[in-house]
Amino acid sequence: MQLGRVIGRVWSSVKNPGLKGQRLLIVQPVKADLSPAGRCLICTDCTGAGAGELIYWVRGREASFPFTPEEVASDATIVGIIDELNLAGKKKEPAC
Amino acid sequence: MQLGRVIGRVWSSVKNPGLKGQRLLIVQPVKADLSPAGRCLICTDCTGAGAGELIYWVRGREASFPFTPEEVASDATIVGIIDELNLAGKKKEPAC
Amino acid sequence: MQLGRVIGRVWSSVKNPGLKGQRLLIVQPVKADLSPAGRCLICTDCTGAGAGELIYWVRGREASFPFTPEEVASDATIVGIIDELNLAGKKKEPAC
Amino acid sequence: MQLGRVIGRVWSSVKNPGLKGQRLLIVQPVKADLSPAGRCLICTDCTGAGAGELIYWVRGREASFPFTPEEVASDATIVGIIDELNLAGKKKEPAC
Amino acid sequence: MQLGRVIGRVWSSVKNPGLKGQRLLIVQPVKADLSPAGRCLICTDCTGAGAGELIYWVRGREASFPFTPEEVASDATIVGIIDELNLAGKKKEPAC
């Protein structure tokens, strides 16, 4: 899974029926020190994550599993919200 | 899913039968600020997207799902056209 | 799918039986302006592409689909030869 | 598989049911000389690896295989702990 | 498939049962001119490749196919040893 932060949202009226009713969140990948790293992507979500939250997502085939038996044409889905990161004994709160 | 802009099209007479009848669009990946980022790719399309439009695509196995039961040998398919991007409260129109 | 140019070929006598009888072509990925970009890879081929030709390939699971019911252990297969690229109204011939 | 070192852990109360009961470890990818390289990721684990250990992980569909018949929504799983690396005849202990 | 050279080996006593009995080789990806490029990875092998040999590997789901019906939890497997590379008419021997 990859670490990221929700930084926005996308609206889209023309889309594949397999994405109807799905919130589409813009996620900025982050490093372990929580600084941004790399290109943003659009994720579906099964956690109710909101803007500013630190999350992790799965990509590939696994991204559609949380929605079965619905067939969601997604290749990136947020599967968890992070409460706390512990790096070599140092705690880190996922502050925005 | 990845953010991108349709910047062109490809014609190809010799191709896998699983791509017959598919429009092949050239997509430039973009960042959240809509500036270009990285190498272009060729996508199949299930939205009717045209040149200049801001879209998002899925890659991998999911890319062939919008076409089932047809078997389309694609690993990247446009699944939505973006109406509006909202980054930390700021709206962004996907102008060309 | 990714854009690339066939730049060579590989011979290999010791290989997985699932690759027997397959031509193995060396492909240089290219950008939309057809300049080279990134590391070469080895592709199987279902189009009869030759050296110098501009092609596109699929990767991942889709790469073995053109060969079914044969089981080809390939993760990258050329699925089309490009006749013409059209970028924002400008035509481009895939000259070598 | 990729080489990496376990550098921390993540706690997450809101998450996909398919991740319940799974330890989520933060892994720093490393090069063959064991220096860090690239962005950290979050892995599930089937080896009992602890902080500081040199490990390798699988990604993609294979990442959920070690847990079958449980359906774990993971795209990266630690599948082994490294005892010793041998590079061109030189042994290397995976010291922290 | 990707081009690479076997540069070492990994020993690991704690590992997923799906990797028991598999040799784990360290592979350095190489460019078409055979110079190294990018991060090393660990591959399973179905060819008997040894240190110094020029090989190509598949990644993803295809990586477990050479071992069926055994279920090997690998996402990267060497599927061929290269005898000769031919780039635009120039032959290249895969010398170490």
Side-chain angles (χ1 to χ4, degrees), chain D residues 22-93:
Chain D
Q22 297 292 334
R23 285 162 75 225
L24 297 171
L25 301 177
I26 307 178
V27 171
Q28 169 64 59
V30 299
K31 301 189 215 165
D33 67 1
L34 307 186
S35 63
R39 204 159 71 200
C40 288
L41 75 162
I42 301 179
C43 291
T44 45
D45 174 43
C46 69
T47 63
E53 272 182 308
L54 195 67
I55 54 87
Y56 50 96
W57 80 89
V58 286
R59 55 182 179 187
R61 285 289 285 129
E62 283 65 35
S64 54
F65 286 7
F67 304 108
T68 42
E70 259 185 274
E71 294 240 343
V72 174
S74 171
D75 61 1
T77 297
I78 297 173
V79 289
I81 301 176
I82 291 178
D83 300 328
E84 193 187 297
L85 244 105
N86 195 314
L87 285 170
K90 281 175 281 183
K91 277 192 199 181
K92 208 154 195 175
E93 303 281 322

Side-chain angles (χ1 to χ4, degrees), chain B residues 21-45:
Chain B
Q22 297 292 333
R23 284 162 75 224
L24 297 172
L25 301 178
I26 306 177
V27 170
Q28 168 65 58
V30 299
K31 300 189 216 167
D33 67 1
L34 308 186
S35 63
R39 205 159 72 200
C40 289
L41 73 165
I42 301 178
C43 291
T44 45
D45 175 44

Side-chain angles (χ1 to χ4, degrees), chain B:
Chain B
M1 282 76 64
Q2 308 288 324
L3 269 174
R5 196 179 291 286
V6 179
I7 62 162
R9 197 168 163 183
V10 148
W11 278 264
S12 162
S13 35
V14 178
K15 62 183 161 190
N16 184 256
L19 288 169
K20 280 263 156 69
Q22 297 292 333
R23 284 162 75 224
L24 297 172
L25 301 178
I26 306 177
V27 170
Q28 168 65 58
V30 299
K31 300 189 216 167
D33 67 1
L34 308 186
S35 63
R39 205 159 72 200
C40 289
L41 73 165
I42 301 178
C43 291
T44 45
D45 175 44
C46 68
T47 63
E53 271 181 309
L54 195 68
I55 54 87
Y56 50 96
W57 80 90
V58 287
R59 55 183 178 186
R61 283 290 285 129
E62 284 64 34
S64 54
F65 287 6
F67 304 109
T68 41
E70 255 184 276
E71 295 241 345
V72 173
S74 172
D75 61 2
T77 297
I78 298 173
V79 289
I81 301 175
I82 291 178
D83 301 328
E84 193 186 297
L85 244 106
N86 194 314
L87 284 170
K90 282 175 282 183
K91 278 191 196 179
K92 208 153 194 175
E93 304 280 324
C96 309

Side-chain angles (χ1 to χ4, degrees), chain A residues 10-92:
Chain A
V10 148
W11 278 265
S12 162
S13 33
V14 178
K15 61 183 160 190
N16 183 256
L19 288 168
K20 280 263 156 70
Q22 297 291 333
R23 285 163 76 225
L24 297 172
L25 301 177
I26 307 177
V27 170
Q28 168 65 57
V30 299
K31 301 189 215 166
D33 66 1
L34 308 187
S35 63
R39 204 159 71 200
C40 288
L41 74 164
I42 301 178
C43 291
T44 45
D45 175 43
C46 70
T47 63
E53 273 182 307
L54 195 67
I55 55 86
Y56 50 95
W57 81 89
V58 287
R59 54 182 179 187
R61 284 291 284 129
E62 283 65 34
S64 55
F65 286 6
F67 304 108
T68 42
E70 257 184 275
E71 294 240 344
V72 174
S74 173
D75 61 2
T77 296
I78 297 172
V79 289
I81 301 177
I82 291 177
D83 300 327
E84 194 186 295
L85 245 106
N86 194 314
L87 284 171
K90 281 175 282 183
K91 277 191 197 180
K92 208 155 196 174

